[in-house]
Amino acid sequence: MNYETFFAAAVDRLREEQRYRVFVDLERIAGRFPYAIWRSSSGPREVVVWCSNDYLGMGQHPKVIGAMVEAATCFGAGAGGTRNIAGTNHPLVELELEVADLHRKEAALVFTSGYVSNQTGIATIAKLIPDCLVLSDALNHNSMIEGVRQSGCEKRIWRHNDVDHLEQLLRAAGTERPKLIVFETLYSMDGDVAPLHRICDLAEQYGAMTYADEVHAVGMYGRRGAGIAERDGAMDRIDVLQGTLAKAFGCVGGYIAGASSLIDAVRSYAPGFIFTTALPPAICAAATAAIRHLKQSQSERARHQDRAARVKAMLTLARLPVMPSATHIVPVLVGDALKCKAASDRLLTEHGIYIQPINYPTVPRGLERLRITPSPYHDDALLDALCAALLDVWERLGLALDDRPLAAE
């Protein structure tokens, strides 16, 4: 039997469905973000990255790099194994204390990625609650969906940000049954925000726990960069706050923060924590440096919001189909998988602009888009070049411009 035929057929199906993903070989340039070197088939070429989740450019910040180099020099490259076997490196202890302080929670637990922190965190928490009913927002990230699935608990999906539907499901479950509401504070493909206080009101009314993913908001919002929950004054109302170290903090890793009893239980029961090697000391030290800096500094957040607002205004004025977004995410609708990939390819090869196409299953079919994420380092000249390039690509591919009246019209 030729087993390779099964794998080849699986990849062929993705190609036929226009879902086959092609990676672009990039080298980020420290000190020159958002510029990168694209290792194309015709040789290296400098390009501008417009879709990085290193939202604030902290991956190149001198404090972050300095902390990483110093820790690697002192402690070496790796963590030495799982925390249960090799012990916990001290920079990791400091990082968890910093995360707990950021979210004003009693304790925090760091995982190897944001995906793992959701997947194993949700599954473990729900499993430890007898007869738990999990209520999950319809647009939750795959990591949350997998966490709910692996919990083995009964679940209900509530329509995205529809608190009336959530209340119907909570009422049907009754106040006596244990319940866990899982949702994101900021949804990364559309850029919309959850109604945090209304969700918390319902949780209190019907006796439910709350678990909020702040992955695309930590570092970005709030007085100290703790996220949307801090900005909206809801941190103390949410039982578990989850976040990442890989986006606005510019490193890698994920975490949950909450009551010390909950964190201790997850630490003691979660397979995704117990049986995997810990983050290296250098990564932990770098992440701690990023969090500490963004707790004090407002300049990165202010500049970032200015850049995002300018991009939205410029593209909207140019009649490009910018999808509504209340945050730093700037989605531009294409609505066709083939043309979305073609637009991305033309931007890269002809204009030196890298924006990855977002197709199904990340977004529903018919809502394919280019997801633009400005940073504090995208200056006005880069904004002008982006707008001109998008208009050129739109015209050459025959894509529709937005014919809705502008607000001032």
Side-chain angles (χ1 to χ4, degrees):
M1 183 178 293
N2 184 359
Y3 287 95
E4 290 185 12
T5 59
F6 300 121
F7 307 121
V11 172
D12 287 342
R13 287 195 297 272
L14 290 178
R15 294 183 191 275
E16 291 169 4
E17 296 169 8
Q18 309 301 326
R19 294 200 291 129
Y20 182 74
R21 297 173 187 247
V22 178
F23 293 151
V24 176
D25 187 350
L26 293 177
E27 294 178 8
R28 301 206 312 165
I29 308 171
R32 294 196 60 218
F33 184 78
Y35 292 94
I37 300 299
W38 171 35
R39 295 289 178 175
S40 71
S41 57
S42 57
R45 177 183 173 187
E46 188 173 88
V47 298
V48 178
V49 177
W50 275 97
C51 57
S52 174
N53 282 344
D54 185 0
Y55 293 130
L56 301 177
M58 291 302 293
Q60 66 167 10
H61 196 282
K63 289 182 181 179
V64 176
I65 294 175
M68 178 177 284
V69 171
E70 181 179 357
T73 302
C74 291
F75 306 114
T82 69
R83 294 170 72 173
N84 289 287
I85 292 175
T88 295
N89 65 77
H90 187 64
L92 184 42
V93 174
E94 292 184 319
L95 173 58
E96 287 178 338
L97 291 172
E98 202 69 43
V99 169
D101 176 76
L102 174 69
H103 291 290
R104 303 299 193 196
K105 298 296 183 185
E106 292 177 352
L109 191 67
V110 167
F111 297 80
T112 50
S113 74
Y115 192 103
V116 173
S117 60
N118 267 336
Q119 181 186 45
T120 198
I122 292 172
T124 304
I125 291 167
K127 281 180 180 179
L128 291 174
I129 302 173
D131 193 32
C132 182
L133 174 67
V134 183
L135 301 108
S136 179
D137 185 284
L139 292 190
N140 277 341
H141 188 264
N142 177 266
S143 60
M144 305 179 79
I145 294 170
E146 282 299 302
V148 173
R149 184 183 67 80
Q150 292 178 22
S151 74
C153 296
E154 186 179 356
K155 69 176 185 295
R156 296 284 184 273
I157 308 301
W158 48 292
R159 291 187 294 270
H160 177 54
N161 276 351
D162 186 339
V163 289
D164 292 333
H165 187 217
L166 174 60
E167 183 169 18
Q168 292 174 18
L169 298 175
L170 287 166
R171 187 186 302 116
T175 56
E176 297 304 314
R177 184 176 185 182
K179 297 170 289 294
L180 177 65
I181 304 172
V182 296
F183 58 96
E184 298 181 46
T185 63
L186 192 165
Y187 291 84
S188 64
M189 289 299 120
D190 293 325
D192 56 336
V193 172
L196 301 187
H197 283 290
R198 186 68 181 112
I199 293 171
C200 291
D201 289 344
L202 292 174
E204 292 169 7
Q205 181 180 349
Y206 292 96
M209 275 187 64
T210 48
Y211 180 109
D213 175 311
E214 287 264 36
V215 159
H216 292 273
V218 288
M220 309 288 293
Y221 298 91
R223 184 179 62 84
R224 300 196 310 156
I228 294 292
E230 181 187 36
R231 186 197 71 177
D232 293 354
M235 272 203 307
D236 61 340
R237 304 188 69 191
I238 298 172
D239 295 296
V240 185
L241 288 164
Q242 182 269 351
T244 184
L245 305 168
K247 293 181 171 59
F249 295 130
C251 296
V252 68
Y255 61 82
I256 58 172
S260 56
S261 58
L262 180 146
I263 296 300
D264 195 23
V266 174
R267 179 191 69 82
S268 302
Y269 281 90
F273 171 81
I274 295 171
F275 297 106
T276 192
T277 299
L279 287 182
I283 294 293
C284 298
T288 299
I291 295 171
R292 286 175 178 169
H293 176 79
L294 290 174
K295 280 181 179 178
Q296 302 296 326
S297 176
Q298 302 296 327
S299 61
E300 290 85 0
R301 284 189 284 276
R303 172 72 174 173
H304 183 268
Q305 289 297 318
D306 172 78
R307 297 291 87 189
R310 283 178 179 266
V311 168
K312 289 179 189 177
M314 181 177 291
L315 301 188
T316 299
L317 189 62
R319 300 289 187 175
L320 287 156
V322 178
M323 302 171 72
S325 165
T327 58
H328 61 281
I329 307 297
V330 186
V332 181
L333 181 65
V334 177
D336 179 273
L338 275 175
K339 289 185 177 180
C340 194
K341 179 65 168 63
S344 174
D345 290 344
R346 284 180 181 266
L347 285 168
L348 183 62
T349 59
E350 299 176 14
H351 297 278
I353 290 174
Y354 174 59
I355 307 175
Q356 185 71 0
I358 306 296
N359 292 339
Y360 178 85
T362 306
V363 296
R365 288 187 174 92
L367 293 179
E368 294 85 359
R369 68 197 66 176
L370 299 176
R371 177 182 175 272
I372 299 169
T373 54
S375 79
Y377 299 95
H378 287 90
D379 59 27
D380 288 346
L382 292 180
L383 267 63
D384 290 339
L386 172 68
C387 187
L390 285 170
L391 285 172
D392 175 68
V393 168
W394 244 248
E395 179 180 0
R396 294 173 64 185
L397 291 178
L399 296 171
L401 293 173
D402 193 343
D403 59 1
R404 293 175 299 177
L406 296 174
E409 294 180 351

